[in-house]
Amino acid sequence: MSTVTVQDFAKELGRPIDELLTQFKEAGVTVSGASAPISGEDKVALLNYLQLKTGGAAPASGEPKRITLKRRETTELKLGGARGAPSKTVSIEVRKKRTYVKRDEMPELDAEAQRLAEEAAIQAEAERAAAARLAAEAEALRQQQEAERKQRDEEEQRKRDEAAAAERQAKDEHARLLQEDPLYRAKWEAEQSRSRAAENIRRAAEAARIAATQPAPVIAAPAPVPSAKKAGGGGNAAPAGRAAPGGGRQRTELHLADGKKGARREKKSKKPSGRVRFDNVHVFEKPVAPVVREVEVPEAITVGELANRMAVKATELIKVMMKNGLMATINQTLDQDTALLMVEEMGHKARSVKASDFEDSLEQAVTGGDQQDIEKEPRPAVVTIMGHVDHGKTSLLDYIRKTKVASGEAGGITQHIGAYHVETDKGIITFLDTPGHAAFTRMRARGAQVTDIVVLVVASDDGVMPQTREAIQHARAAGAPIVVAVTKIDKPDSDIDRVKTELSKENVIAEEWGGDVQIVGVSAVTGQGVDALLDALLVQAEMLELTAPVESLARGNILEASIEKGRGPVATVLVRAGTLKQGDVVLSGPHFGRVRAMFDETGKPTKEAGPSIPVQILGLSGAPDAGDDVVVVADERSARELAELREQKLREQKLAQSHALRMDQVFARMGEGDVKQLNLMIKSDVQGSAEAISDALRKIPSEEVRVNVLTSGIGGISESDVDLAAASKAIIIGFNVRADAAARKRIQDTGVDVRYYSIIYDIIDDVSSAVSGLLGTETREQIVGIAQVRDVFRSSTLGSIAGCLVIEGSVQKSLPIRVLRNNTVIYEGVLESLRRFKDDVQKVEAGTECGIGVKDYNDVKAGDQIECFQRVEVRRTVSAAA
Ligand code: GTP
Ligand code: MG
């Protein structure tokens, strides 16, 4: 091989000769000069030296001898967020570096590798320290928050304790009041029932809301509810949802728009709410265990209502019932035993309540308790006049009151209870006039119940009769002392001693005969003995020492009630205690309302009525039953509730009755085979008459035909009454009421038999002779014509003259007439005058105007109708439905 000198090598590498000489020298190769020869070994030694010096990749082979990997990791640490505090995020960055060296090939690099490893370790250590510092900081922050939370918790616990103590105290007080104060208890119980209803509604709404947002709610089963956590919608599951952001389970349906929620949350987070709030999470906490409720079960309850009280869906309850072998619909009524069982079955506690308990407590709340502390003052006596028919009760009262009631009465008998207060020289007395006819037993009984003293009227020419005895019994039953008025002593055949003897047989013994009853002879014609009677009454009243609170809420009794067109329900009330004022809210039976107007017995408007004073009131929601209590309510809400409760009870009673009636009819038909039935519908002017008529008719004995009173009500005859009569093949009996125009048309169309009466014994006679098969002739009333009153003029010679238009048939001067107001008879009599323009005429046809003067009656008003009628003899027929 040819010799290579330093000079040649430098030329070959393109490097200066001096530099090469120095490098050779540094590499430990001895070269003498530029022209000195160098071997191959010298060249390798130089190369190695140079490689070492630069530290670069070994040029000798293509593979890397050392690989360095670098990794940077960033994690986030979340702190805080508890109890509404703002959360804090700390970023932690960890850097790692790894160097891999191929040791077998480059053992000389160990030291370098070692150094690098150490460097990396130091760096890692530093980074760990930094991380630890950050973590420590985080921990400190957490601890601080924890401490704050603890403090808050303690604060809250303290507050809770305080509240609990206060509550305990309130509870004790409440329990004491419940024990000691009946008014408080009643109010509380009423409140309870109200809030129960509200709670039920709220629960239902909540259940509906949950049902809408949660596909599978499981609430009612007695078993624990395992699905609560899985559902991911409850409060407990919420943090999990938060920890997996973007996870499929996180709910997206929100109650707030995204834009709004931040502001809202911030506002809320300012006040410590005691409950952890999470973004986008429903705050409703679903119960994880079944809620055991105490359920009140009344004597009868519908399935729907029972489910409502347990706060479960009706279908749930129905399912449970089916499992127990009971098939029921939602509206079906369950008896108490079944309902109790079902409540237990569903895992709740049942408590049976009697409906009357609740009603009693409500009543207490309504009337505002006993009001015993209100001072009582003397009050006028209430005196009821009772006795046999036509013995002169009304005439006696007329004499005392200087009125003429008796002469205006249809058929000459009293058919209503009348209430009047009379101011005598010696004081005020309130009189109740009762009918003496046998049919009015209940009216008499009512009269006796509200009275302080009974005046037993016995005609001196007639003596003790059946209704005299009945009256004595009523008085005794009511515990009212009796004063006897022996009437008609002006008559030649009068015999007071005979009356006294007959009375003594009934154990009513005169004072002068050693008994305790004052017996006074009177005449309504001459006025003899009337003063003595009044004296006797006042003495009796004084002995009774009658008092009543005046300044309290009024309470009283309904004497009579009716429904009048344009006025609505009208009730005659006898105030027993307190003062009834216009504007008061009153409750009577199921009826309720504000007193819109009040009138005294003469029809004059009044503003208030004290104890023992009778008044007519307007404004009730319906016509109460005669005899019902009426109270001014202290608590309007309870009153409304009580009215509803009573209404419901009444409905149930009616339903039960109608079932009973139907069953009754079925059995009657089964037993009697072919018995005919006379169906009757009664419409009357006032409650008491309707009741008296149906009582009397039901009592009519008959073999061949059964009298069946389908309905009995008050007010004019309406279209629907006629329809009902047509459907049930019934005869309508109108007592002092008439059919309105629409009903009259229906009567013509359907051919329903409608009979008008104004005297109760006419009805009884007609019906009893009809059913006993006594065919023959009967007197029937036919309406000849109707005149509508347009205006009323006062004439100095003729009194008031009604300007009328005859709208149906004709008006004849010779025939009797009735004055109707709102289809109710208000007067019966004859015509004084009938005129066309200035001429007296005998007859006025339909479509013609005329002037009508009614004899002895000046109270005709525009809007009234004057009905002209005649009595005709017709052959009797029995209209009976098979
Ligand atoms: P009812 O209410 O239907 O039970 O009758 P009542 O007890 O109210 O009798 P009423 O006052 O209507 O009188 C019946 C009849 O007896 C009438 O014709 C009266 O004129 C007459 N009458 C009443 N009192 C007296 C009296 O003191 N003397 C005479 N002579 N007749 C009297
Ligand atoms: Mg009378």
Side-chain angles (χ1 to χ4, degrees):
M1 122 182 192
S2 60
T3 313
V4 179
T5 63
V6 173
Q7 206 168 358
D8 296 338
F9 193 46
K11 210 173 182 181
E12 198 183 292
L13 293 172
R15 310 294 303 173
I17 296 165
D18 294 343
E19 191 189 289
L20 204 62
L21 281 171
T22 322
Q23 280 172 349
F24 268 124
K25 204 174 166 187
E26 277 167 10
V29 180
T30 319
V31 222
S32 50
S35 52
I38 45 170
S39 64
E41 283 156 11
D42 294 341
K43 278 184 192 172
V44 171
L46 179 67
L47 192 63
N48 280 344
Y49 163 72
L50 284 176
Q51 266 175 354
L52 253 178
K53 191 183 173 190
T54 53
S61 79
E63 295 169 35
K65 295 266 167 37
R66 188 171 65 180
I67 302 167
T68 301
L69 297 174
K70 281 189 184 166
R71 187 180 290 149
R72 193 169 70 171
E73 231 172 43
T74 314
T75 52
E76 285 184 353
L77 186 64
K78 288 237 155 45
L79 294 169
R83 305 211 164 249
S87 65
K88 188 172 177 179
T89 306
V90 179
S91 297
I92 298 176
E93 191 175 287
V94 178
R95 293 188 196 135
K96 288 178 184 158
K97 189 172 164 187
R98 288 272 182 280
T99 304
Y100 298 95
V101 181
K102 229 177 171 179
R103 286 169 189 276
D104 50 347
E105 282 188 327
M106 308 205 70
E108 66 275 27
L109 289 184
D110 268 2
E112 176 67 3
Q114 184 70 30
R115 192 182 58 78
L116 285 172
E118 273 166 21
E119 222 170 70
I122 290 163
Q123 194 178 352
E125 186 56 39
E127 280 163 356
R128 247 200 312 281
R133 207 174 49 246
L134 278 169
E137 259 175 40
E139 176 63 20
L141 190 66
R142 199 185 59 73
Q143 270 174 9
Q144 187 192 340
Q145 280 172 352
E146 181 72 16
E148 274 170 21
R149 192 179 60 75
K150 234 183 194 161
Q151 198 182 341
R152 263 200 305 270
D153 277 355
E154 274 163 19
E155 180 76 3
E156 265 163 24
Q157 183 61 39
R158 194 178 55 73
K159 275 186 193 157
R160 266 201 300 277
D161 287 350
E162 272 171 25
E167 199 181 326
R168 257 198 311 281
Q169 202 173 350
K171 249 187 193 156
D172 290 345
E173 176 67 6
H174 170 70
R176 189 186 65 75
L177 281 170
L178 273 186
Q179 279 273 324
E180 290 169 17
D181 185 354
L183 169 62
Y184 180 89
R185 187 175 62 230
K187 271 191 178 155
W188 179 74
E189 276 167 4
E191 188 57 41
Q192 286 288 302
S193 77
R194 249 194 317 281
S195 61
R196 254 197 314 280
E199 171 72 354
N200 285 340
I201 291 167
R202 194 189 61 72
R203 282 206 193 108
E206 194 140 64
R209 204 186 62 202
I210 296 162
T213 49
Q214 252 174 226
V218 181
I219 310 170
V225 186
S227 60
K229 282 208 167 93
K230 280 188 225 152
N236 293 344
R242 173 81 186 148
R249 287 182 309 175
Q250 205 192 16
R251 293 237 302 272
T252 48
E253 68 277 28
L254 295 172
H255 290 275
L256 292 174
D258 275 356
K260 271 188 190 170
K261 87 184 175 225
R264 263 266 207 118
R265 190 167 58 84
E266 221 164 74
K267 209 161 98 195
K268 276 197 179 149
S269 67
K270 273 181 195 149
K271 41 180 167 168
S273 66
R275 185 199 294 229
V276 182
R277 284 179 188 276
F278 300 100
D279 287 1
N280 300 357
V281 178
H282 223 298
V283 289
F284 171 68
E285 278 181 33
K286 190 173 175 180
V288 289
V291 180
V292 177
R293 295 196 167 79
E294 190 173 292
V295 180
E296 282 187 355
V297 181
E299 279 149 8
I301 187 169
T302 63
V303 172
E305 174 57 24
L306 186 62
N308 199 8
R309 287 190 188 187
M310 288 188 281
V312 300
K313 284 185 186 161
T315 46
E316 290 291 335
L317 176 58
I318 291 173
K319 263 189 234 163
V320 174
M321 288 176 64
M322 277 166 131
K323 271 188 215 148
N324 286 277
L326 279 167
M327 293 292 179
T329 61
I330 186 161
N331 292 320
Q332 202 156 317
T333 307
L334 303 177
D335 59 59
Q336 198 171 36
D337 290 343
T338 313
L340 286 173
L341 267 175
M342 286 307 117
V343 172
E344 303 285 345
E345 189 71 12
M346 295 201 69
H348 296 292
K349 265 172 70 182
R351 190 159 70 86
S352 60
V353 287
K354 271 203 279 181
S356 54
D357 291 353
F358 182 52
E359 201 176 328
D360 288 350
S361 67
L362 265 184
E363 254 163 41
Q364 283 256 333
V366 165
T367 55
D370 285 342
Q371 306 188 336
Q372 267 168 349
D373 44 339
I374 293 169
E375 198 191 328
K376 288 184 176 170
E377 293 170 39
R379 65 170 174 87
V382 178
V383 176
T384 299
I385 304 193
M386 292 205 270
H388 195 71
V389 67
D390 275 350
H391 275 197
K393 298 178 289 293
T394 310
S395 301
L396 177 62
L397 250 183
D398 274 344
Y399 186 88
I400 296 170
R401 297 175 59 220
K402 300 176 187 69
T403 51
K404 282 184 185 169
V405 176
S407 59
E409 280 177 345
I413 62 162
T414 304
Q415 305 188 81
H416 301 146
I417 200 160
Y420 318 95
H421 77 284
V422 181
E423 289 180 27
T424 68
D425 301 336
K426 294 148 193 159
I428 297 175
I429 303 176
T430 294
F431 287 103
L432 300 183
D433 184 16
T434 65
H437 193 276
F440 299 98
T441 303
R442 286 218 246 169
M443 250 185 225
R444 279 189 292 275
R446 272 200 294 280
Q449 269 151 25
V450 295
T451 200
D452 302 311
I453 304 164
V454 167
V455 169
L456 180 67
V457 165
V458 190
S460 58
D461 59 344
D462 206 14
V464 172
M465 296 306 253
Q467 268 61 55
T468 316
R469 291 191 196 99
E470 192 201 285
I472 295 169
Q473 273 153 26
H474 283 315
R476 291 208 172 122
I482 294 174
V483 172
V484 177
V486 181
T487 53
K488 308 192 188 179
I489 53 164
D490 57 295
K491 281 196 159 183
D493 52 350
S494 81
D495 185 351
I496 299 192
D497 281 344
R498 184 175 73 112
V499 175
K500 283 186 185 168
T501 316
E502 285 177 3
L503 282 172
S504 65
K505 284 183 199 153
E506 305 299 325
N507 233 346
V508 177
I509 299 158
E511 275 180 340
E512 55 271 30
W513 290 11
D516 60 349
V517 180
Q518 306 184 65
I519 297 184
V520 187
V522 295
S523 165
V525 175
T526 63
Q528 195 190 336
V530 173
D531 269 347
L533 176 67
L534 291 178
D535 282 341
L537 289 174
L538 290 164
V539 167
Q540 187 64 258
E542 226 162 87
M543 269 155 54
L544 292 173
E545 288 181 0
L546 303 164
T547 57
V550 176
E551 297 301 324
S552 66
L553 295 175
R555 46 170 69 230
N557 285 89
I558 302 283
L559 293 177
E560 195 53 278
S562 61
I563 293 177
E564 290 177 20
K565 231 185 195 167
R567 298 175 95 196
V570 181
T572 307
V573 175
L574 176 67
V575 179
R576 308 295 303 282
T579 305
L580 180 61
K581 300 190 183 84
Q582 189 179 341
D584 278 348
V585 177
V586 292
L587 172 78
S588 177
H591 304 292
F592 176 74
R594 191 175 291 280
V595 177
R596 272 194 287 122
M598 291 209 297
F599 304 93
D600 67 8
E601 67 254 27
T602 62
K604 267 199 299 233
T606 55
K607 293 275 178 226
E608 52 178 55
S612 301
I613 301 299
V615 277
Q616 248 193 357
I617 61 166
L618 263 54
L620 277 172
S621 58
D625 284 344
D628 272 359
D629 284 345
V630 51
V631 292
V632 172
V633 305
D635 172 357
E636 202 172 324
R637 266 211 304 182
S638 311
R640 205 175 287 274
E641 208 170 324
L642 184 58
E644 273 166 25
L645 193 80
R646 286 176 174 171
E647 168 103 55
Q648 190 188 334
K649 235 176 152 179
L650 226 65
R651 255 203 311 271
E652 279 164 14
Q653 264 172 18
K654 250 190 202 157
L655 207 70
Q657 256 171 21
S658 71
H659 280 305
L661 206 72
R662 277 205 289 269
M663 289 306 285
D664 191 38
Q665 286 169 0
V666 171
F667 284 128
R669 281 198 193 148
M670 267 163 41
E672 295 164 19
D674 210 7
V675 169
K676 280 186 173 175
Q677 194 161 277
L678 179 62
N679 289 336
L680 299 174
M681 280 174 64
I682 296 159
K683 281 311 267 294
S684 163
D685 55 346
V686 294
Q687 190 82 49
S689 307
E691 176 190 276
I693 294 165
S694 50
D695 279 0
L697 293 181
R698 283 192 179 115
K699 276 190 217 147
I700 293 175
S702 163
E703 301 276 293
E704 297 162 49
V705 184
R706 268 166 49 91
V707 176
N708 187 16
V709 180
L710 290 182
T711 61
S712 100
I714 53 174
I717 296 164
S718 68
E719 219 177 335
S720 61
D721 291 332
V722 180
D723 287 338
L724 184 59
S728 50
K729 297 202 180 69
I731 297 173
I732 298 180
I733 289 178
F735 184 75
N736 283 340
V737 293
R738 294 291 178 268
D740 59 27
R744 275 205 296 275
K745 197 166 172 304
R746 294 294 295 152
I747 292 168
Q748 274 184 356
D749 295 349
T750 54
V752 164
D753 190 357
V754 181
R755 299 187 186 201
Y756 297 123
Y757 294 91
S758 51
I759 306 170
I760 190 165
Y761 52 67
D762 282 349
I763 309 177
I764 299 167
D765 287 354
D766 272 10
V767 174
S768 45
S769 38
V771 296
S772 57
L774 270 182
L775 299 177
T777 56
E778 65 170 332
T779 314
R780 263 220 222 169
E781 278 179 13
Q782 254 177 14
I783 294 169
V784 177
I786 297 171
Q788 182 79 41
V789 180
R790 292 288 171 88
D791 209 345
V792 178
F793 311 95
R794 307 276 161 205
S795 149
S796 52
T797 48
L798 297 165
S800 29
I801 296 296
C804 303
L805 175 70
V806 180
I807 51 172
E808 258 177 52
S810 63
V811 174
Q812 296 173 29
K813 187 166 177 212
S814 56
L815 294 178
I817 58 103
R818 289 193 188 100
V819 181
L820 309 180
R821 189 167 295 161
N822 298 324
N823 294 315
T824 302
V825 178
I826 56 169
Y827 184 76
E828 187 176 325
V830 291
L831 291 186
E832 174 94 74
S833 64
L834 180 64
R835 290 189 160 194
R836 288 254 317 126
F837 304 108
K838 292 246 174 294
D839 311 321
D840 279 316
V841 288
Q842 286 303 312
K843 189 174 177 180
V844 180
E845 295 291 341
T848 322
E849 289 184 334
C850 60
I852 293 177
V854 181
K855 199 171 182 176
D856 291 339
Y857 189 71
N858 280 325
D859 198 28
V860 180
K861 291 200 175 109
D864 289 352
Q865 286 185 337
I866 295 175
E867 171 188 277
C868 179
F869 65 99
Q870 62 181 354
R871 296 197 168 96
V872 288
E873 296 269 297
V874 290
R875 285 211 62 80
R876 210 189 281 279
T877 53
V878 178
S879 315

